[in-house]
Amino acid sequence: MGAIKRTYQAQQGRHRGARHDPMGTALTVLWAVGHLATLALLGVAVDHQLSADHLGVAPLARALPDHDPAV
């Protein structure tokens, strides 16, 4: 009984096939890739919002409507 208990403690409560679980590994990789893709998309969105083209007030030529200066 003591040998069984020591083996269970050495495996830290995991079953014998836990080391060779390809589905768990695939889900872990998918989780990691999903988080990296989300961070990349958020980084692109933040970079786009903070780019120099969008900062400040619109130039006067683009802010006023077109009109005939003689009128």
Side-chain angles (χ1 to χ4, degrees), residues 14-71:
R14 294 170 37 177
H15 60 84
R16 284 179 283 181
R19 293 174 293 165
H20 307 290
D21 184 18
M23 187 60 104
T25 302
L27 289 174
T28 302
V29 169
L30 183 64
W31 175 83
V33 169
H35 278 74
L36 290 175
T38 302
L39 288 174
L41 288 173
L42 286 172
V44 168
V46 167
D47 183 52
H48 178 72
Q49 287 294 323
L50 297 178
S51 68
D53 294 341
H54 296 102
L55 292 179
V57 180
L60 189 57
R62 283 195 275 164
L64 294 176
D66 292 336
H67 64 281
D68 187 13
V71 177

